């Protein structure tokens, strides 16, 4: 490997990290070095969102790889062994120095560190843990740290990572076991889920210890997350939603991130030639939101997908698609319906529903009252009954939202 200076390494390894979608930092414990004798940094309760990559993704942290060299040869990965990309590797000290320097300049509020696998899973994980350990113990760094862990590594190393990091994550890689076996034959779905299960137990034990003993060390207070690639294999949206729901249930993940497959230079011939629409990734995030905040079961979201293809519609959001497919559930009376029914009205979010519930304690809501609590009333009218408004029943309406059928064309970000 040619000798590179830190700036050249940063250029290569920051660019290589752009395929990692996870950047939210919400949910961790609040820490601050203000008023302390030593140390640097702090965390806030909210997510960090300060910068955007050229493709529109949010970059909130110093998001880099320790190295883009790898002993694995996953077909979808630009850093795979057989790829001819330019390689670079940071030492643990270089990552620590960069993080502190960027933090002092107010460029970042934390570190996201991932890596290709060099020598062995244990050796690579040792280097990742050393970065977090040095930041916390040698420099008193109290900012946010997210470590991407390696499922094959020694469980003791994963335990050490959890003692220093706010969040840990293990990539599930692909939505189906068959897809993983075909595109990443050196990775094993059972081992990945086994590591997730071990992290879940450690996180629960850590939270229990903190409740019992105030001095107990925390373990990954922001929990664990994962990421899956969309569109590299034949998995349908119905498959992906089901897989995400099972991961939430079994491993109590904080987030599942979806990353639309992006064709890479010198791609393997087993990969599709064309990337999926970015709107598909967006629809999956919306369906994920529906499960986590609106109370939809994965079977209900799957029912909103096209019965033949198993794909969610791209021209309307999945909540509207579900409402149009189950018209007998509407209209909903805003003055009498329970919270669960209101949350299913397309266009009504959690904040608006809570405001409706609070307001109707004192008076009956008219349509104009609902309009003040939402971004727009036009989308809501076919689905609501208010004190002065009763629409035609959706079951009797042939096309309540004709404007929703207009096809949309995805624009190219870098088109001339």
């Amino acid at each position: 490997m040619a000798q590179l200076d830190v700036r050249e390494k940063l250029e290569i390894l920051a660019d290589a990290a752009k395929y990692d979608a996870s950047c939210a930092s919400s949910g961790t414990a609040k820490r601050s070095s203000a008023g302390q004798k030593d140390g640097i940094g702090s965390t806030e309760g909210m997510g960090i969102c300060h910068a955007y990559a050229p493709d529109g993704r949010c970059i909130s942290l110093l998001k880099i790889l320790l190295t883009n060299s790898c002993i694995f040869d996953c077909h979808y990965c630009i850093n795979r062994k057989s790829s001819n990309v330019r390689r670079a590797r940071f030492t643990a000290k270089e990552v620590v120095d960069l993080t502190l320097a960027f933090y002092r300049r107010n460029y970042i509020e934390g570190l996201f560190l991932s890596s290709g696998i060099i020598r062995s899973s244990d050796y690579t994980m040792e280097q990742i843990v050393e970065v977090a350990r040095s930041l916390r113990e040698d420099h008193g760094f109290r900012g946010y740290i997210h470590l991407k862990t390696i499922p094959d590594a020694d469980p003791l190393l994963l335990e050490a990572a959890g003692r220093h990091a706010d969040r840990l994550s293990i990539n599930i890689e692909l939505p189906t076991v068959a897809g993983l076996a075909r595109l990443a034959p050196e990775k094993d779905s059972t081992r990945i889920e086994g590591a997730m299960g071990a992290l879940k137990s450690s996180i629960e034990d850590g939270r229990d210890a903190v409740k019992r003993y105030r001095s107990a060390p925390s373990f990954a207070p922001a929990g664990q997350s994962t990421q899956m690639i969309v569109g590299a294999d034949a998995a349908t949206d119905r498959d992906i939603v089901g897989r995400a729901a099972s991961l939430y249930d079994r491993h109590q993940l904080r987030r599942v991130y979806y990353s639309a497959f992006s064709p890479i230079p010198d791609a393997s011939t087993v990969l599709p030639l064309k990337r999926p629409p970015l709107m598909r990734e967006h629809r999956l995030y919306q369906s994920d939101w529906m499960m986590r905040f609106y109370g939809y079961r994965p079977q209900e979201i799957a029912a909103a997908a096209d019965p033949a293809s198993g794909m969610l519609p791209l021209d309307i959001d999945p909540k509207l698609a579900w409402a149009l497919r189950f018209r007998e559930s509407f209209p909903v009376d805003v003055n009498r319906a329970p919270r669960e029914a209101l949350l299913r009205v397309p266009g009504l979010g959690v904040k608006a529903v809570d405001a409706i519930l609070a307001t109707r304690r004192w008076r009956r809501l008219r349509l104009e009252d609902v309009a003040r609590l939402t971004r727009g009333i036009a989308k809501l009218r076919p689905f609501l009954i208010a004190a002065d408004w009763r629409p035609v029943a959706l079951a009797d309406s042939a096309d309540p939202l004709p404007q929703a059928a207009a096809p949309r064309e995805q624009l190219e970000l870098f088109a001339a």
Side-chain angles (χ1 to χ4, degrees), residues 314-316 401-409:
L314 297 179
D315 55 343
I316 58 175
L401 294 173
Q403 71 278 11
R408 296 180 179 178
E409 181 181 355

Side-chain angles (χ1 to χ4, degrees), residues 84-404:
N84 62 357
V85 296
R86 195 179 181 197
R87 308 287 182 175
R89 175 184 169 184
F90 280 127
T91 64
K93 185 177 185 308
E94 286 173 332
V95 176
V96 170
D97 292 344
L98 272 175
T99 304
L100 296 174
F102 276 40
Y103 194 94
R104 290 189 178 107
R105 289 173 172 82
N106 201 28
Y107 294 164
I108 61 164
E109 296 187 49
L111 170 68
F112 174 96
L113 183 61
S114 182
S115 180
I117 298 174
I118 46 175
R119 295 194 194 178
S120 69
S121 299
D122 284 351
Y123 176 79
T124 308
M125 197 67 220
E126 285 173 1
Q127 301 302 304
I128 293 174
V129 170
E130 173 58 19
V131 171
R133 186 210 63 77
S134 179
L135 280 169
R136 295 289 195 225
E137 296 183 357
D138 299 341
H139 302 279
F141 183 69
R142 294 179 174 83
Y144 182 81
I145 297 179
H146 181 161
L147 298 181
K148 187 65 69 72
T149 58
I150 301 169
D152 295 335
D154 190 319
L156 293 177
L157 290 170
L158 300 185
E159 285 282 337
R163 288 197 296 273
H164 301 300
D166 294 278
R167 174 168 289 181
L168 301 176
S169 58
I170 299 174
N171 282 357
I172 196 72
E173 306 290 355
L174 292 161
T176 63
V177 175
L180 185 69
R182 179 168 177 263
L183 299 181
E186 292 155 304
K187 295 184 176 177
D188 183 87
S189 177
T190 303
R191 287 203 302 270
I192 292 173
E193 289 221 38
M196 284 182 174
L199 284 185
K200 173 197 168 190
S201 299
S202 298
I203 292 170
E204 289 177 341
D205 291 345
R207 288 174 182 164
D208 184 59
V210 169
K211 289 178 183 176
R212 292 169 179 266
Y213 311 104
R214 295 180 61 184
S215 59
S218 62
F219 185 95
Q224 65 168 322
S225 60
T226 192
Q227 176 176 337
M228 64 174 72
I229 301 169
V230 175
D233 63 359
T236 65
D237 290 346
R238 187 183 296 150
D239 298 330
I240 294 169
V241 169
R243 179 68 157 162
S246 70
L247 292 174
Y248 279 124
D249 287 343
R250 289 205 298 270
H251 306 303
Q252 296 181 3
L253 301 182
R254 294 296 295 269
R255 287 291 303 274
V256 174
Y257 291 91
Y258 307 95
S259 177
F261 164 70
S262 179
I264 54 179
D266 303 320
S268 166
T269 55
V270 303
L271 291 173
L273 297 176
K274 190 177 179 181
R275 69 183 181 188
L278 282 178
M279 183 56 72
R280 184 183 176 195
E281 179 186 293
H282 180 59
R283 296 302 183 210
L284 288 169
Y285 275 115
Q286 289 178 318
S287 66
D288 194 279
W289 190 271
M290 288 165 64
M291 287 191 291
R292 292 190 294 133
F293 297 102
Y294 293 166
Y296 285 82
R297 290 177 286 119
Q299 298 88 341
E300 292 178 302
I301 296 173
D306 181 78
S309 66
M311 306 297 279
L312 293 169
L314 297 179
D315 55 343
I316 58 175
D317 66 73
K319 192 176 178 184
L320 177 58
W322 184 88
L324 294 178
R325 193 170 294 275
F326 296 95
R327 300 180 181 207
E328 65 277 10
S329 302
F330 301 94
V332 170
D333 191 335
V334 291
N335 289 298
R336 303 179 62 180
R339 186 173 189 272
E340 294 75 19
L342 289 172
L343 282 173
R344 300 205 166 208
V345 175
L348 279 186
V350 173
K351 189 176 179 180
V353 168
D354 290 341
I356 288 172
L357 294 175
T359 305
R360 76 183 191 186
R361 294 177 188 169
W362 309 103
R363 62 189 178 90
R364 288 176 58 77
L365 291 161
R366 300 163 63 88
L367 197 60
E368 62 181 14
D369 298 323
V370 179
R372 293 192 193 97
L373 300 174
T374 62
R375 293 183 177 178
I377 197 65
K379 187 177 180 180
L380 299 171
R381 291 163 67 97
F383 302 95
L384 285 181
I385 295 173
D388 61 340
W389 169 256
R390 179 177 289 274
V392 176
L394 276 178
D396 301 329
S397 176
D399 192 0
L401 294 173
Q403 71 278 11

